[in-house]
Amino acid sequence: MNIILSIITLFTFQLHELHLSMSHISYNEEHHRIEIQNRIFYDDLEKSLRISLDNEKFDILKPEESNLDYDSLFQDYNNRNFEIAINDSPIELSLLEYEIKDDAIVMYLFKSDVPKINTLKVFSHILFEIFDDQDNVVSVQVNKKRKSKKFSYDSKPLEIEVN
């Protein structure tokens, strides 16, 4: 747990050389919903989206100055770069909301109507398209089981059997 707290602390620096995202996945049994929190340095995500949108003026901090739908952009980005399969079936995530906290963008995503989870498979390749030294830390809490993994460019997916 200390390593996670140390990594979170790194998100408070004004300048960063570190290319890192942090994600937490949990299963809300009462509501049958997967809930995800993705935390990414906003300037890194902005750089990636500028490239994919072919728009050098794209600014995460100024959505009011754009005619783009930021919610859709962030949801699509997560669905392309944060893969989850439940019981061997890939799922699409919906964006609930996002916020800027310090130097990070925090995106809250979910999937409703999730059946009983027997297996969960996750792979985070957030920002791999622009940084070859990118690391993505994912923690998972499902049915009282906890696992964490650091994904780098050559990682394999994290697979959890829950039964």
Side-chain angles (χ1 to χ4, degrees), residues 4-157:
I4 292 175
L5 291 175
S6 298
I7 293 171
I8 290 172
T9 304
L10 292 173
F11 275 100
T12 61
F13 291 121
Q14 292 300 319
L15 299 173
H16 70 90
E17 299 276 334
L18 181 67
H19 297 123
L20 177 73
S21 81
M22 293 188 58
S23 302
H24 178 72
I25 303 168
S26 61
Y27 179 58
N28 183 322
E29 289 183 66
E30 181 181 342
H31 295 103
H32 304 283
R33 182 174 61 220
I34 288 287
E35 300 170 342
I36 297 145
Q37 182 183 70
N38 280 345
R39 179 181 288 264
I40 306 168
F41 285 114
Y42 74 79
D43 60 332
D44 293 342
L45 181 59
E46 185 176 82
K47 180 178 181 178
S48 174
L49 291 172
R50 281 180 176 171
I51 293 167
S52 68
L53 294 169
D54 193 24
N55 179 350
E56 283 300 315
K57 294 182 180 182
F58 175 76
D59 190 335
I60 282 181
L61 299 179
K62 297 178 182 174
E64 68 282 353
E65 294 181 11
S66 174
N67 61 355
L68 297 170
D69 179 353
Y70 279 39
D71 288 353
S72 292
L73 282 174
F74 299 147
Q75 179 175 299
D76 292 346
Y77 183 85
N78 277 281
N79 280 316
R80 281 191 320 272
N81 296 287
F82 194 82
E83 299 172 32
I84 297 179
I86 296 174
N87 304 334
D88 295 321
S89 296
I91 65 169
E92 290 281 315
L93 302 171
S94 297
L95 181 73
L96 177 64
E97 64 181 339
Y98 70 91
E99 63 182 329
I100 304 295
K101 284 188 173 180
D102 300 316
D103 286 348
I105 183 169
V106 183
M107 293 173 275
Y108 303 93
L109 303 123
F110 70 98
K111 171 65 175 160
S112 295
D113 301 321
V114 174
K116 180 180 183 229
I117 298 176
N118 297 314
T119 61
L120 184 136
K121 187 177 188 179
V122 62
F123 185 77
S124 176
H125 45 94
I126 290 172
L127 298 175
F128 284 178
E129 70 276 11
I130 58 172
F131 299 118
D132 59 4
D133 63 343
Q134 176 74 27
D135 287 320
N136 299 321
V137 177
V138 176
S139 66
V140 178
Q141 182 177 345
V142 176
N143 300 350
K144 300 179 184 163
K145 285 202 173 189
R146 291 177 180 229
K147 276 199 171 178
S148 295
K149 181 170 182 167
K150 181 182 82 164
F151 292 92
S152 55
Y153 203 79
D154 57 351
S155 294
K156 294 186 181 342

